[in-house]
Structure formats: C-alpha cells, structure tokens
Amino acid sequence: MNFIRKKALKQLNPIMISGKEVLPLIEGGKGINGSDGRSSGSWAKENCVGTFSGVSPDFYDSKGNVIIETFHKKNRAERHEEMIEYAIRGGVAQAQVAHEVSNGNGRIHMNMLWEMADSERILSGVLEKAKGLIHGVTCGAGLPYHLGELASRFGVYYYPIVSSARAFQVLWKRAYSNFREFLGGVVYEDPWLAGGHNGLSNAEDPTKPQAPYERLVELRRLLRSLGLDNIPIILAGGVWSLKDWQDYIDNPDIGKIAFQFGTRPMITKESPISEAWKKVMLQVKKGDVILQKFSPTGFFSSAIKNTFLEKLIQRKQGEVAFSKEQTSEFSHPLSIRENKTVYIKPEDASKAEQQLSAGYTEIQETPDNTVVFLTPAEWKQMKIDRAECVGCLSQCQFSTWSRANGTTGKLPDPRSYCIHKTLYEVGHNGSIKDNLLFAGHQVYRFATDPLYRNGIPTVKELIEKIKSGE
C-alpha cells in the first residue's frame, strides 16, 4: 500500500509588528464599512493585527446608533469639509471600539486611501484625538509620500501598500529614508488578486498575472540593500489559507513575512457588512470577480460582477469614437444634442442606432473623444450624483472635482460613477445588485470552504482555522 505523506504545516511564530510581538496574521482594511472597530478589535483580541477602514467610518449617537452621513451644505467645497469632519469623528469612534474589544491584546491599525481628498488632514485628526489607541497606519491607492513624516510625528508605525519593489524604492528615496524609525513594514499587495483598488502600473498587463514569489524576493533584496532586513513584508491579495503559502514561510529569500487576509474575514459574525452581502459572497463562482478600470480614481479595481458592473460594461461596449469635424473616416453625422452634431465612422452607425432604439437616447461625451449612450433615467441620476458630490477624492474623473483647483478642467466621465455614494450605500444596507461590491479574486472559495458549511464563524473560529493551515 502506498501512503501519501502530507507536508507538515510550518510553525507560525510571532513577529514584532507595531512595537509588539503578535502572530503574523493581519485583517485587511476594506473601504467604506468593510472593516470596523468591532472586526479589527476581534482580530487584535486573538493577538493578531486588526485593521479598521478610515474611509468614511461610522460614528454614533449617545445611544450607540450609527449616525448616517447627511450633508447639509450647498457648496461642494463646504460639503467636503463636512466629509472631513465626519471621517475624523468616525475614525476616532472606530479606534475606541477596537481598543475596547481587543482587551489590550494584539495591535490596531487604521487603513487609509491616499487618493482620498485631504487624507493627511483626516489621518492627523484621528491620530491626534485617538492617541494610544492606534498602533499603525496602512496606506495605498497612490504613493503616500508624506505618510512616514505624518505617522512619525505621532509615534505611530506606518505601512505603505505597494505592488512592486520599484514603487517602494521611489517612496524611500523621496521621503521614507528620513523616517526610518517608525517604518513598521511594507505591504506587498498582489495587483492581480487583491480586491478593491489595485496597483497595476502602465507597464503591467492586467490580463497576464505574475506570481508574487519573484516580486517578493525582489522587494526583500531591495530592503536588504537599504539596511531594512528586519522590516517584515506583509503579503496581501489572494491570501486565503496558509497552506497555499508554505514556501514563503521561513524562506531566507523572502525573510520576515506576515499575511494579510482581506476577503475571508468579510464573512464573520463580527464583520460589519450586511447579511445580504455575505450571502452573495457565499455564492460567488470562480471568474465572477472582474478586474476593470471604471473607478473614478483612474486605478484598476476588482469587484463582483452584478447589475451595477454589468451596466458599466454594457455602456463601455457601446462606446463610439467621434470627430467634431466631418472627415473621410468620420463621415456619418450623429446628433448628440438639439444644437450639436458630431461625426462617427459609418461602421459604427448601426451600433449607435441599436442603442438609441433600445431607449439609450441620452448621448454623452467622454474625455477621450468618444460618446456613450444612457437611458434618460441613468442620465438624470448621474446629474444628481454630480451635483451632490462631496469631493471625496483628491481628483475625480466622474465629477471633475479636484482638491487642488476645485476642478480637473476635464470633461466628466460618464463611463464612471460616484464611488462615495455606491460604497456608502452598500455598506449601509443598500441594494446588493445596484451598488459596487469590491472583492478579491479568491472570494469563490467561500462556496467550498468547510468553515462556512454550518453557518457564519466568529473571528476567533476563523483565526483558529487559519493557524491550522485550513
């Protein structure tokens, strides 16, 4: 009889993270209300690292009820100031909840989207008012040059999120070399597997994923050359089970490593997402998560394909190039408004006519000399969303908001959407079909994971399974 010998699970030893020895298991911070004080405190309670989102976090009234964001100002710049005030109040509230739940164990981190407008003001406000409650700050979606200086000012460790050694080298040379003491680690987020916004560069093909091993080895090589060999690399994006990453543990070419779990912790009893959202994730099949570039940030992002995403895909597929002047190539006239005609290619005329006949009668220009077709209802809602913009991003392709100048000076892009609205709605019991559902590409594993066969586990139960390699 032949016996197949199972490879023994490597021992997972505690490492120093944010000034304390903890298990190298980290809850990833996820967008608006994707992780909060309750979930992050529960992770910390198990001597791991919990991470709450600093993007429009919830805050509470005197009875402990969530105060839903309501913007009262008519001016967009004034609404932006309201948003900052809410974000600081929410960040402090979630840090307090996490601290109480953790019972003093583990570490509490806050995750911030760097491309969020005035992210530095929000971070400073939260860290000032929540002193001693937050041990580390992770930050991605852009190159957070000022993160090291800001975190060091408050004696808090910082963790830039990068997708390549080159990105960290740029940050180190330009800023971080002066703030070595509080560099707690470097988060390598796989740009092909991670949920939410991804760090794909123009030099990388979104359709040709690369295995993270060589990219991690390259990052460690860089860290060693900079005298940072004691700094852990935190692997994020596509992390589900430790048995998948045994060759990365105690590997001298990779060095000290921790593992960040983004998608899997979203289905726990302590996770703040709605029961309807959890139900959808339990049913997702392989290939249902799409890497696309509809986000108003301009970054690639990964989300579950639903009605919301299908409408954006359909709109993109119906896109038609045009010329303002009639030429031999662009010779077919297309009336896009009562007093404006542009010219499209004759071969695109049938595509345009089909969409008009199907009720997509609102023709809107994009910044790329193309037009897309919307229903009157879609166009009406789009105008409302733009009018109600709160300036959540440093610059937004959808609304043309720019924190620096008030406007990007470009045409608003009707191929995009209001990201603050959709993420806030779905994070507060909004429609699962008609809002954006960020998720990592491993989400399909919920359907076959034995942990979820008998109901939704607690964070403690999930971490016990993770430690066992399951």
Side-chain angles (χ1 to χ4, degrees):
M1 183 180 290
N2 292 325
F3 292 93
I4 299 174
R5 182 173 293 176
K6 260 183 141 177
K7 197 173 181 180
L9 187 71
K10 289 183 181 177
Q11 180 70 34
L12 198 63
N13 297 313
I15 64 172
M16 189 70 70
I17 297 179
S18 294
K20 185 177 182 179
E21 273 205 345
V22 295
L23 288 173
L25 303 176
I26 300 174
E27 174 201 24
K30 295 167 286 292
I32 296 179
N33 210 43
S35 58
D36 66 359
R38 187 180 173 214
S39 66
S40 58
S42 298
W43 273 73
K45 188 176 181 180
E46 300 305 316
N47 200 38
C48 300
V49 179
T51 310
F52 69 87
S53 171
V55 182
S56 294
D58 285 341
F59 54 100
Y60 311 97
D61 63 19
S62 59
K63 296 181 179 179
N65 299 311
V66 173
I67 299 175
I68 298 298
E69 284 186 349
T70 305
F71 297 92
H72 302 282
K73 303 296 184 181
K74 292 184 178 180
N75 181 283
R76 181 160 56 178
E78 291 176 336
R79 290 196 298 272
H80 173 73
E81 292 300 317
E82 286 184 288
M83 184 204 72
I84 292 172
E85 178 188 346
Y86 291 159
I88 292 173
R89 289 176 66 183
V92 174
Q94 295 310 319
Q96 290 170 337
V97 171
H99 176 72
E100 291 170 7
V101 172
S102 72
N103 199 29
N105 295 332
R107 297 280 87 177
I108 301 295
H109 288 183
M110 173 177 170
N111 182 68
M112 178 58 78
L113 179 83
W114 193 250
E115 280 301 306
M116 186 175 177
D118 281 315
S119 55
E120 293 177 56
R121 281 178 61 193
I122 294 169
L123 267 174
S124 295
V126 174
L127 294 177
E128 177 66 40
K129 295 181 179 182
K131 286 182 178 177
L133 304 181
I134 299 170
H135 310 111
V137 175
T138 58
C139 198
L143 291 172
Y145 293 115
H146 299 145
L147 178 62
E149 179 183 5
L150 191 156
S152 298
R153 194 186 333 139
F154 292 96
V156 170
Y157 291 89
Y158 65 101
Y159 299 80
I161 301 172
V162 300
S163 59
S164 67
R166 180 178 174 275
F168 180 75
Q169 186 171 34
V170 171
L171 288 168
W172 178 261
K173 284 185 175 181
R174 192 171 295 187
Y176 294 171
S177 59
N178 296 319
F179 304 98
R180 178 188 294 255
E181 180 183 359
F182 286 98
L183 176 63
V186 180
V187 181
Y188 170 80
E189 186 174 74
D190 188 298
W192 290 276
L193 292 176
H197 291 105
N198 300 5
L200 279 170
S201 71
N202 293 331
E204 291 161 332
D205 189 337
T207 65
K208 296 180 180 179
Q210 298 175 16
Y213 186 86
E214 291 300 327
R215 294 166 75 93
L216 285 178
V217 170
E218 183 182 6
L219 178 57
R220 176 57 68 190
R221 193 179 298 125
L222 171 64
L223 293 174
R224 284 175 174 150
S225 73
L226 299 173
L228 300 171
D229 196 27
N230 64 317
I231 297 296
I233 293 174
I234 298 167
L235 176 62
V239 179
W240 188 274
S241 168
L242 289 181
K243 67 183 178 183
D244 301 332
W245 305 96
Q246 285 298 287
D247 293 340
Y248 292 61
I249 300 173
D250 294 332
N251 186 314
D253 291 332
I254 292 175
K256 193 181 296 184
I257 189 169
F259 298 90
Q260 179 169 300
F261 295 78
T263 298
R264 204 175 180 192
M266 292 183 77
I267 303 186
T268 61
K269 289 182 178 177
E270 296 87 349
S271 169
I273 70 171
S274 68
E275 294 306 309
W277 191 348
K278 290 175 184 177
K279 184 177 180 180
V280 167
M281 297 181 82
L282 283 166
Q283 298 171 349
V284 169
K285 297 180 176 60
K286 193 170 186 178
D288 284 351
V289 173
I290 300 173
L291 181 61
Q292 34 68 35
K293 207 174 183 182
F294 296 118
S295 171
T297 62
F299 297 129
F300 279 95
S301 65
S302 293
I304 297 171
K305 189 175 181 181
N306 60 359
T307 303
F308 179 88
L309 207 53
E310 285 172 348
K311 286 181 179 179
L312 291 170
I313 293 169
Q314 181 183 25
R315 190 176 303 163
K316 176 66 178 174
Q317 290 173 341
E319 187 175 13
V320 173
F322 76 88
S323 170
K324 294 179 181 179
E325 304 294 333
Q326 191 171 24
T327 67
S328 57
E329 183 180 11
F330 294 89
S331 59
H332 186 86
L334 177 67
S335 175
I336 62 173
R337 281 188 291 279
E338 187 176 335
N339 59 350
K340 185 170 184 179
T341 297
V342 297
Y343 299 90
I344 63 176
K345 298 175 182 178
E347 57 265 34
D348 287 332
S350 60
K351 180 195 281 191
E353 185 55 41
Q354 286 172 5
Q355 294 181 87
L356 291 168
S357 299
Y360 295 89
T361 53
E362 293 291 340
I363 307 173
Q364 297 301 318
E365 297 170 67
T366 79
D368 299 321
N369 289 324
T370 63
V371 290
V372 292
F373 299 78
L374 294 81
T375 65
E378 289 173 338
W379 175 231
K380 181 181 179 181
Q381 186 60 57
M382 190 173 287
K383 288 189 290 185
I384 292 172
D385 292 344
R386 286 175 180 157
E388 295 178 348
C389 172
V390 299
C392 68
L393 299 176
S394 61
Q395 54 180 5
C396 176
Q397 295 181 358
F398 174 75
S399 70
T400 74
W401 159 264
S402 166
R403 182 65 185 95
N405 306 309
T407 177
T408 60
K410 298 179 180 179
L411 281 175
D413 197 333
R415 298 166 296 187
S416 191
Y417 52 86
C418 177
I419 193 167
H420 182 274
K421 175 193 170 186
T422 188
L423 292 181
Y424 196 86
E425 283 190 2
V426 78
H428 294 83
N429 297 309
S431 168
I432 296 301
K433 291 182 179 180
D434 300 317
N435 284 296
L436 185 68
L437 297 178
F438 276 150
H441 290 255
Q442 299 284 315
V443 66
Y444 71 91
R445 294 177 69 168
F446 278 122
T448 57
D449 192 322
L451 179 61
Y452 302 91
R453 285 178 187 165
N454 299 316
I456 295 175
T458 63
V459 164
K460 181 179 179 63
E461 289 169 337
L462 170 60
I463 290 173
E464 288 303 315
K465 287 295 182 182
I466 288 173
K467 288 192 294 185
S468 71
E470 296 179 31

